[in-house]
Amino acid sequence: MNGSAISVTGLRKSYGSHRVLDGIDLTIPQGTIFSLLGPNGAGKTTTVQILSTLIKADAGKIWVAGHEPAREPDKVRAAIGVTGQFSAVDHLLTGEENLRLMADLLHLDRATGRRRTRELLERFDLTDAARKPAAAYSGGMRRRLDLAMTMVGTPRLIFLDEPTTGLDPRSRRTMWQIVRDLVEQDGVTVFLTTQYLEEADELADRIALLSQGGLVAEGTPEELKRLVPGGHIVVRFADADGYRRAAPHVGATSRNDAALTVQIPDSGGVKTLKGLLEWLDTQAIDVAELSVHTPDLDDVFLALTKEPSR
């Protein structure tokens, strides 16, 4: 397990006759961000619950932070932190009191608890609001406080379950930077589940797609995007004459006569685009607008995953 924050082989879990996880294999290096994606009901939550010792697997070899959850659950819990989709913050307490409470629950001595509280309030930009009740915090502030509470025990591995749900775009980007800093500055490993594919694309070093209990793809975001076709070039012509002359000769797969646009498969990347522009130039055809679409994680998700069976 050297160099791996999580190592899983043959993970299986069933509830009655329904098999939720069917032979999952995963290796997540230390100090990286890993994202598990899949439709609702695909098994993401069950995977996280097993890895964080909340439930037991039916079969498989599992190592988390160098320990087996089934045999050494306390050692696993001492090495991990879990930030769920729903905040664990006590809204009646201040931000400072929430952090001190967590320090007490972790049996830190008083001096260490106070020092850790000060450090985390400053790091998560909560010092000015430290003595205000958490009920008065914005959604972004509560999520930062929630993550700060997870960090009181200096975990080596953090499970983040949909950490930016409900946040506005600015707060979401603030959380992204905090997560990156945890990895880059602290060497923490992050196991991320999210419904925002843009979030996984922005943060994750590697992504795995879970569908109907099995992994259907795994790789870097760029590797996954190369698995599906769909890249194309959309050209809007400046006038009807140029559109009529060009449309039959550019290999268009679809045309819109009213909008004067064509869609052209982009199988060759820059080479395809260069050849198209050179041809249009030699024909003296004016283009009003040109855009290039490459497959994104939404395309990958829709192409490779299936709705869970009912």
Side-chain angles (χ1 to χ4, degrees), residues 91-104:
H91 290 192
L92 298 179
L93 300 180
T94 68
E96 183 176 25
E97 288 168 342
N98 269 286
L99 289 169
R100 286 188 181 179
L101 174 61
M102 185 59 66
D104 290 341

Side-chain angles (χ1 to χ4, degrees), residues 51-128:
L51 297 176
S52 58
T53 76
L54 295 177
I55 61 176
K56 291 186 177 181
D58 295 336
K61 295 182 179 180
I62 308 167
W63 292 83
V64 178
H67 304 285
E68 294 181 87
R71 296 184 180 182
E72 304 173 295
D74 290 340
K75 290 184 177 179
V76 172
R77 291 168 191 154
I80 69 173
V82 180
T83 300
Q85 180 181 353
F86 301 103
S87 174
V89 170
D90 188 322
H91 290 192
L92 298 179
L93 300 180
T94 68
E96 183 176 25
E97 288 168 342
N98 269 286
L99 289 169
R100 286 188 181 179
L101 174 61
M102 185 59 66
D104 290 341
L105 291 173
L106 292 170
H107 305 295
L108 301 184
D109 63 74
R110 188 172 183 180
T112 302
R114 287 179 178 272
R115 174 179 55 79
R116 191 75 180 131
T117 295
R118 287 194 304 271
E119 292 172 351
L120 291 169
L121 286 170
E122 181 177 353
R123 178 168 189 177
F124 286 83
D125 196 22
L126 293 168
T127 301
D128 291 343

Side-chain angles (χ1 to χ4, degrees), residues 139-279:
M141 292 171 68
R142 279 195 293 271
R143 292 306 284 170
R144 296 204 307 272
L145 177 58
D146 200 20
L147 187 51
M149 291 170 65
T150 301
M151 291 300 297
V152 170
T154 59
R156 289 180 284 151
L157 168 63
I158 298 177
F159 293 94
L160 286 182
D161 184 17
E162 301 188 23
T164 64
T165 297
L167 298 187
D168 63 77
R170 181 174 288 107
S171 297
R172 181 174 295 132
R173 291 184 178 278
T174 298
M175 280 296 294
W176 290 352
Q177 190 56 53
I178 288 172
V179 172
R180 291 189 191 101
D181 290 343
L182 289 174
V183 175
E184 293 171 7
Q185 298 175 17
D186 298 58
V188 170
T189 305
V190 173
F191 188 112
L192 171 72
T193 64
T194 179
Q195 295 293 347
Y196 299 118
L197 300 186
E198 178 196 9
E199 184 162 272
D201 201 355
E202 281 281 338
L203 291 177
D205 298 298
R206 292 187 69 79
I207 295 171
L209 284 175
L210 190 61
S211 181
Q212 297 186 336
L215 290 182
V216 294
E218 183 181 356
T220 67
E222 293 308 313
E223 287 171 345
L224 293 182
K225 292 171 191 176
R226 290 197 293 268
L227 293 178
V228 298
H232 59 266
I233 300 168
V234 176
V235 181
R236 181 167 65 85
F237 294 92
D239 53 68
D241 178 65
Y243 169 73
R244 284 194 299 269
R245 287 194 292 127
H249 304 289
V250 292
T253 54
S254 66
R255 297 164 54 170
N256 186 322
D257 294 342
L260 304 181
T261 62
V262 297
Q263 181 172 304
I264 305 163
D266 181 21
S267 57
V270 173
K271 184 177 180 180
T272 301
L273 182 59
K274 181 181 178 182
L276 173 64
L277 292 175
E278 288 177 347
W279 185 84

